[in-house]
Amino acid sequence: MSIMPGAMLGLLGGGQLGRMFTMAAQSMGYRVTVLDPADESPSSSIAERHLRADYLDSNALHELGPTCAGITTEFENVPAESLRIIAEHGVVSPTANSVAITQNRILEKKFLATNGFEIAPYAVIQNSHDLNGALLQTHAEPLSGLLPGILKVSRFGYDGKGQVRISNAAELDSAFTSMSREHCVLEQLLLLEGEVSVIVARGFDGKAVTFPVSENQHHNGILDISITPARISPVMIQRACEIAISIAEKLDHRGVLCVEFFVLADERLVVNEVAPRPHNSGHYTIDACITSQFEQQARILCGMPLGSTAMHGTAVMVNLLGDLWQRGEPRWEDVLRHPRVKLHLYGKLAARPGRKMGHYTVLAETVEAALQLALEIKQSLASCLSPEQLSA
């Protein structure tokens, strides 16, 4: 049964992804209740209602469930148990099982490997025994065969946080200690040609569509620029979309999901990570596609047909980090004086270095034209930073 406009939808999480979901849902006539522990957040500031409580607060969950026709999430670190509790009351997207797997790097790696998806060689590091001589679970190679590599904490790592590049065994021991000896994954460092991502929207009826593939560039572990469509071969684009849909199907994911890939020199696609939600690399869809990833999220939650993912043209999205605010409010006229550029600010009260404060999207007839203008604007905004900030 479909959820009709006018109904109240629930959202676990108060960040910018929730803000953009709330805007999309409201534009379709829905109302939104946000459950988030913070006093102020990007999504709670515009939602019809804010339940200020922890995600595992029993009273809040039992209030949210019966008062909302459907409930979704805006980030993967919402406890899966919260989703199990509220699923007793009605429609939940995504499911607790899908979130439980993808919010834990160890479970995610095992899921991908078990289902035949190519991933980087890795080892699970849970204790000193693993650190000092455990063998790769699938390849039976010594840990030394994974170096140089990247040590990643199994949970709550994002935007480069909870990750350390490792060159030798001594660095591995030190990094594991710096992570409080939490469960980690050690991944072999691959020689990359690039990185791409695919956003999948999959409904409760099993029908799935993909958005155009994005080419992603990172800085200090944080997404910097997304270029869409990606500058890779049509064969690779098709293969990336097929793999992404297959992952969504194997997870039985109902909602929006992002699959990030490493691109290797021989045109191999290696799955890097899976996010069970809309993704930063899909923000271009707000302005460049007939249906945004956030509208798709609302459509799926409400049992509505999926919208078209076709693009109006090409797009380049650039993240705006808190570093730009270190000398005061950025010169937004440098962005808005261009008629085919769209500015999105997230309503965050405090600008901190490395914090995502907004983004802008450049629309153009060609990727080359969009990228050139995007970089010109980026340079213009950066010109107000100090030399120390520019070199950071």
Side-chain angles (χ1 to χ4, degrees):
M1 181 180 296
S2 298
I3 300 172
M4 293 293 111
M8 181 70 79
L9 305 179
L11 176 67
L12 297 175
Q16 65 264 19
L17 298 177
R19 180 184 181 92
M20 289 178 267
F21 165 81
T22 298
M23 289 177 170
Q26 289 171 335
S27 74
M28 298 167 67
Y30 295 98
R31 297 173 296 134
V32 177
T33 294
V34 170
L35 173 61
D36 187 80
D39 289 329
E40 300 264 355
S41 68
S43 57
S44 66
S45 66
I46 64 168
E48 279 74 13
R49 188 176 180 222
H50 177 202
L51 280 176
R52 185 180 174 276
D54 185 81
Y55 299 121
L56 284 170
D57 185 293
S58 178
N59 292 331
L61 292 174
H62 283 95
E63 181 177 351
L64 187 71
T67 58
C68 296
I71 298 172
T72 188
T73 65
E74 71 106 25
F75 73 124
E76 65 264 40
N77 288 325
V78 168
E81 182 60 27
S82 300
L83 299 177
R84 292 190 182 96
I85 292 171
I86 56 180
E88 299 172 1
H89 299 284
V91 179
V92 174
S93 166
T95 64
N97 184 62
S98 178
V99 171
I101 292 172
T102 52
Q103 70 183 191
N104 184 305
R105 292 187 195 277
I106 296 174
L107 295 180
E108 182 180 274
K109 295 288 186 188
K110 290 180 178 178
F111 162 81
L112 292 168
T114 299
N115 285 282
F117 299 108
E118 185 173 4
I119 58 176
Y122 77 100
V124 175
I125 308 295
Q126 296 177 305
N127 50 48
S128 297
H129 173 72
D130 294 334
L131 189 66
N132 293 328
L135 300 180
L136 259 178
Q137 296 174 353
T138 54
H139 302 289
E141 296 175 2
L143 283 179
S144 59
L146 297 177
L147 300 177
I150 302 177
L151 187 69
K152 300 181 179 180
V153 69
S154 65
R155 296 197 61 184
F156 306 118
Y158 64 96
D159 287 345
K161 299 178 177 68
Q163 300 185 19
V164 180
R165 184 169 293 197
I166 306 297
S167 298
N168 53 57
E171 291 180 358
L172 178 58
D173 183 70
S174 175
F176 189 49
T177 300
S178 73
M179 294 181 180
S180 302
R181 306 185 85 79
E182 296 284 341
H183 293 180
C184 293
V185 169
L186 176 64
E187 294 180 11
Q188 186 179 66
L189 195 63
L190 303 177
L191 185 61
L192 306 184
E193 288 290 301
E195 299 183 51
V196 299
S197 60
V198 181
I199 307 291
V200 181
R202 184 170 184 265
F204 284 93
D205 58 2
K207 293 180 180 178
V209 295
T210 58
F211 285 90
V213 179
S214 293
E215 174 186 341
N216 303 319
Q217 299 174 5
H218 296 79
H219 180 67
N220 292 333
I222 303 174
L223 180 64
D224 184 24
I225 297 174
S226 281
I227 303 164
T228 314
R231 295 170 295 180
I232 57 176
S233 70
V235 171
M236 292 182 70
I237 286 174
Q238 181 179 348
R239 190 160 71 248
C241 292
E242 290 172 349
I243 293 171
I245 288 177
S246 181
I247 289 174
E249 291 173 344
K250 294 289 186 181
L251 280 170
D252 197 24
H253 185 84
R254 311 305 173 96
V256 174
L257 174 143
C258 176
V259 180
E260 297 179 77
F261 294 93
F262 294 138
V263 179
L264 306 189
D266 55 0
E267 292 203 337
R268 282 167 53 208
L269 288 170
V270 174
V271 179
N272 175 25
E273 293 182 354
V274 180
R277 52 164 173 78
H279 192 261
N280 194 175
S281 65
H283 288 353
Y284 76 90
T285 64
I286 298 172
D287 302 306
C289 292
I290 293 174
T291 310
S292 75
Q293 62 174 343
F294 301 101
E295 182 181 331
Q296 295 284 39
Q297 185 181 13
R299 283 171 175 254
I300 293 167
L301 178 63
C302 296
M304 296 295 183
L306 295 172
S308 169
T309 60
M311 293 185 73
H312 303 300
T314 66
V316 172
M317 185 221 69
V318 179
N319 269 330
L320 298 167
L321 303 185
D323 309 64
L324 289 174
W325 276 255
Q326 299 311 298
R327 286 190 173 182
E329 192 73 14
R331 299 192 304 257
W332 298 125
E333 61 270 26
D334 289 350
V335 179
L336 295 174
R337 65 187 178 87
H338 302 282
R340 299 196 67 179
V341 177
K342 308 289 284 186
L343 175 66
H344 297 263
L345 298 177
Y346 303 151
K348 296 181 179 180
L349 300 180
R352 298 189 297 269
R355 191 184 194 194
K356 294 174 182 175
M357 299 295 293
H359 71 269
Y360 62 87
T361 303
V362 178
L363 306 175
E365 297 299 324
T366 66
V367 164
E368 291 74 17
L371 183 58
Q372 180 179 343
L373 179 54
L375 294 176
E376 289 175 2
I377 295 171
K378 191 171 189 287
Q379 180 60 39
S380 177
L381 290 173
S383 65
C384 64
L385 298 178
S386 66
E388 292 78 13
Q389 291 169 328
L390 286 172
S391 61

